[in-house]
Amino acid sequence: MKLAYWMYSGPAHIGTLRIASSFKNVHAIMHGPLGDDYFNVMASMLERKRDFTPITTSVVDRNVLARGSQEKVVNNITRKDKEELPNLIILTPTCTSSILQEDLNNFCYRAALETKSDILLADVNHYRVTELQAADRTLEQIINFYLKKSNKLTQKKTVFPSVNIIGSFNLAFHNQHDISELKQLFSNLDIKINEIIPEGNSVKNLKNLTKAWFNFIPYREIGYSTGTFLKKKYNMPYIDITPIGIIEIAKCIKSIQQILNEMGHLINYDKFIDKQTRFISQSAWFSRSIDCQNLIGKRAVVFGDATHAIGITKILVQELGVDVIWCGTYCKSDKIWFINQLKTINLKIKPIITDDHNLIGNLIAEVTPEAIFGTQMERHVGKRLNIPCGVISAPVHIQNFPLSYRPFLGYEGANQISDLIYNSFTLGMEDHLLEIFGGHDTTNILTNSLSTNSSLEWTEETQKELQKIPGFVRSKIKRNIEKFAIEHNLKKITLEIMYAAKEANS
Amino acid sequence: MTKKNQQLSIKCETGNYHTFCPISCVAWLYQKIEDSFFLVIGTKTCGYFLQNALGVMIFAEPRYAMAELEEGDISAQLNDYQELKRLCLQIKKDRRPSVIFWIGTCTTEIIKMDLEGIAQKLENEIQVPLVVARANGLDYAFTQGEDTVLASLVQKYKVKNLNLKKQLKPQENKLILFGSLPNSVVNQLDLELKNQGVNVTGWIPAKHYTELPELVEKTFVCGVNPYLSRTATTLMRRRKCTLISAPFPIGPDGTRLWIEKICSVFNIQPQGLEKRETEIWKSLEEYTNLIYGKSVFFMGDNLLEISLARFLIKCGMIVYEIGIPYLDNRYQNAELLLLEQTCYEKNIMIPQIVEKPDNYNQIERIRALKPDLVITGMAHANPLEARGISTKWSVEFTFAQIHGFSNAKDILELITRPLRRNKEFEVRGWNQFSTKL
């Protein structure tokens, strides 16, 4: 047993559900108890989804414990098949159902005899893999299933260079914006987009995957298994360099160039990269500008998923001259890759591989950097320690699903990240200067204008009650109650009077 | 359209509906019982739910945590007793709570972890009282979590006080109220009763575990929330208390009848209640005018539905359907009678009550009925809004202050929020936001 109240990545079934619900016309049926369908709330709230999340639960209750759930699961699958006419139904086990050890595969087989849709059982072990690993696996499982199923799979490539983007999915950090940015980038490079999976795509299109010249995997966590699978089985080359920051974007484009050249399409992107870097994007010039000199030697720490932690660290160190003391990730399964990446940046950066938020909190307190780049948890640690924090990775809150265009990838992404980093540090500086010079002199003015010179007596319990009222409205409510007391010729304010005043004012 | 002989009818569907897991009760109970610590013994799934559902609370060093079960715990390679002892000693050292609540989950049920047995032995060893509540999704929905915790609490401190209290006489004129409410609402209800000459002896739960009221045979007890049927049963059967069955103090109508019922038990003629109720209704006019004749559909997820529907009907709304996870006819008897009576008085149809609803079927009915307002969980709210149907999140009713005379306004504030917004939006003609219909 482990004592915990916060985790960086969720349980395995969340990963499976994220992939399933990203596809169009795929329905997931969770095998779990009442209340395990919290994913629907997140999809509907965080992403402000307009449509009903295509996920239902086959509820595990006492009856199921007593009789087994075969009948129920099969009924639920066939019912959804008729109601929603999906192309694919994925039966998703939860931690509860995995202890029951029922033969879910057999249920799928039984149900498939009666359904028009394909039926799959998500193949993930709840106690061994995290949300991200499960998502990665489920995507590979679906791709594998549909490529196998398709008997007239074409080996013919498209006429012009084309790419599959693997790694567009829901509830991911700034993903929608990243994908738009990638589309823009490929269009500039004159490369056609073959398929983008899984978000918004249909499983019927998966048979087209092999037509692309190569695969592009922007994120380390989800899509990598699919990329390596397609390489192994269909000999499709892939690129897994995340285009975060000017330097990495250039690297990424150069390896695309290499792949295309090897495939006989001679092309040179050097001029494009140079033009974008120096004149279209602002971030290279920004890091040369005078303002940015102030960042040199500033101390920062970075924590997040493997992709973003490495990406941001590269920008901080290589593009802005910031001193990254340590860089960590909670993606424990990717430890070796992570450490190797850090070595290529700077040997002095200490790698931290943990999913214990307390440890990270302590490490931040120990170093007291000038800025933190991390998840929502690190933002809150920063608040407590008075250190500014830029949020660069999931897990995130609703404010990290912005309405406006905020990619992290590509040239516009580089602009966005530069702003984020710069704003984090200047806010810290401003704060620091304010402290040195005694702060903005507004506190006295405020309290003077708010105080009431009344001689009313507040009993101890009413004072306590008053403290429970949120600070920003407290003085207003206090004034209203006192006004009420004065109007009624009362000298002492009791609980009864407080409530009477509340009623009278409402 | 209403006939005198119209009967309440209760339909039962498939139970495929969205609700919060009952472990969510730790969110408000740890704040209520200030010297407590809640340990949820479950998996990552439970932790993920709490982390996301409770949002910012997580960052305030809450007095709750997960005892996250790992593969070794499931396959019994690790010893439950030793593991729990290790964690509880750590909690004792770091937080010094007066009591630790263990919240059993689906997983502890399925692997049959003997939490009650372990707790009994362990509390002597670590010298901290342990209360075990099985608030799991196999058996319960959302607010019923509080019910399991309070029921265990009632059972628990009986054992502790047994010897001391044996000599005490039955206490017939003592009143204990049960149900967790914010302290200011507790004070308000206490005052309402005090004004009628009824002194509330204590509350379950109290602000501190150490301040729980004495429970002696024949003590009068009364519930303030509709989801506390196990607690009520435990008080009656285990502690031989006398339950006062009344509608719940939600809305001015419910509050008045609740007070009247309590007064009648103590042979007190209530004073000025009618006037007080009328005044409250008058102060609500601005809101009731807005909702008069509008229709509402409860999808059902927190067991407050019957009381809220009854209040809204009294306000002049038409209720199409009352979905509810679980309905205890006996515990909610007075509330159901009041619902019937209110419908009769307002001359409208008694709404269909649907226990264990099926959300898919409900959405079909919503499409057909096109109610003015759907009270629903967050999983359905945005998709319904995108289809031009106004919604109110049901969860807000659990966390807002809705009890007593003066909080009736807060209920209507919540109910009318989407309707007031609609007034602004109507002219713009953007009602449909969904690509699929």
Side-chain angles (χ1 to χ4, degrees), chain B residues 10-22:
Chain B
I10 298 163
K11 194 165 92 180
C12 189
E13 280 191 311
T14 61
N16 211 322
Y17 62 99
H18 164 73
T19 181
F20 271 16
C21 172

Side-chain angles (χ1 to χ4, degrees), chain B residues 26-139:
Chain B
V26 305
W28 63 89
L29 287 174
Y30 93 79
Q31 289 185 331
K32 174 71 197 181
I33 310 172
E34 291 170 13
D35 53 353
S36 63
F37 191 94
F38 284 79
L39 185 66
V40 182
I41 305 163
T43 60
K44 255 188 181 322
T45 306
C46 314
Y48 194 67
F49 164 70
L50 283 178
Q51 168 172 332
N52 287 299
L54 309 186
V56 283
M57 259 189 243
I58 294 282
F59 300 105
E61 296 255 336
R63 276 178 284 97
Y64 70 78
M66 290 291 308
E68 193 186 310
L69 300 170
E70 292 167 298
E71 204 168 9
D73 297 301
I74 306 296
S75 53
Q77 285 162 338
L78 296 167
N79 181 308
D80 301 337
Y81 183 85
Q82 292 302 338
E83 290 293 300
L84 284 166
K85 183 176 162 187
R86 183 172 57 84
L87 300 191
C88 288
L89 282 173
Q90 197 184 329
I91 293 165
K92 186 184 171 188
K93 186 175 137 254
D94 296 346
R95 307 295 190 95
R96 308 218 148 270
S98 314
V99 59
I100 299 176
F101 287 88
W102 285 359
I103 306 294
T105 61
C106 304
T107 310
T108 57
E109 286 297 309
I110 293 174
I111 62 173
K112 297 195 166 55
M113 198 183 274
D114 179 20
L115 293 177
E116 283 87 355
I118 297 173
Q120 215 168 24
K121 270 192 271 170
L122 193 58
E123 70 178 352
N124 289 328
E125 211 178 320
I126 64 170
Q127 291 295 309
V128 179
L130 299 171
V131 180
V132 180
R134 301 168 171 223
N136 61 68
L138 293 170
D139 302 306

Side-chain angles (χ1 to χ4, degrees), chain A residues 153-173:
Chain A
L153 205 60
T154 173
Q155 290 294 332
K156 230 171 121 188
K157 300 288 170 196
T158 53
V159 181
F160 296 104
S162 64
V163 61
N164 296 320
I165 300 176
I166 304 172
S168 139
F169 45 92
N170 63 33
L171 286 171
F173 187 72

Side-chain angles (χ1 to χ4, degrees), chain A residues 1-2 4 7 51 62 465, chain B residues 66 68 109 139 184 387:
Chain A
M1 277 178 214
K2 206 166 78 179
M7 56 184 119
D51 290 316
R62 287 281 158 190
E465 189 73 25
Chain B
M66 290 291 308
E68 193 186 310
E109 286 297 309
D139 302 306
S184 52
R387 283 157 185 76

Side-chain angles (χ1 to χ4, degrees), chain A residues 116-134:
Chain A
K116 284 208 179 73
S117 51
D118 300 313
I119 316 287
L120 270 182
L121 172 67
D123 177 25
V124 288
N125 181 321
H126 254 269
Y127 294 91
R128 296 196 186 156
V129 297
T130 64
E131 171 184 355
L132 298 173
Q133 288 169 292

Side-chain angles (χ1 to χ4, degrees), chain A residues 134-203:
Chain A
D136 191 40
R137 260 174 219 216
T138 305
L139 183 58
E140 188 203 328
Q141 194 189 353
I142 296 172
I143 306 290
N144 192 349
F145 176 80
Y146 278 100
L147 290 187
K148 251 191 204 159
K149 200 182 162 205
S150 169
N151 39 20
K152 38 183 182 194
L153 205 60
T154 173
Q155 290 294 332
K156 230 171 121 188
K157 300 288 170 196
T158 53
V159 181
F160 296 104
S162 64
V163 61
N164 296 320
I165 300 176
I166 304 172
S168 139
F169 45 92
N170 63 33
L171 286 171
F173 187 72
H174 293 245
N175 181 270
Q176 238 185 318
H177 313 289
D178 282 352
I179 298 299
S180 301
E181 186 64 18
L182 289 178
K183 279 190 199 163
Q184 178 66 46
L185 182 66
F186 281 116
S187 141
N188 288 344
L189 298 176
D190 217 8
I191 295 171
K192 297 270 170 301
I193 307 243
N194 186 48
E195 297 290 341
I196 299 177
I197 54 169
E199 179 71 41
N201 211 330
S202 161
V203 288

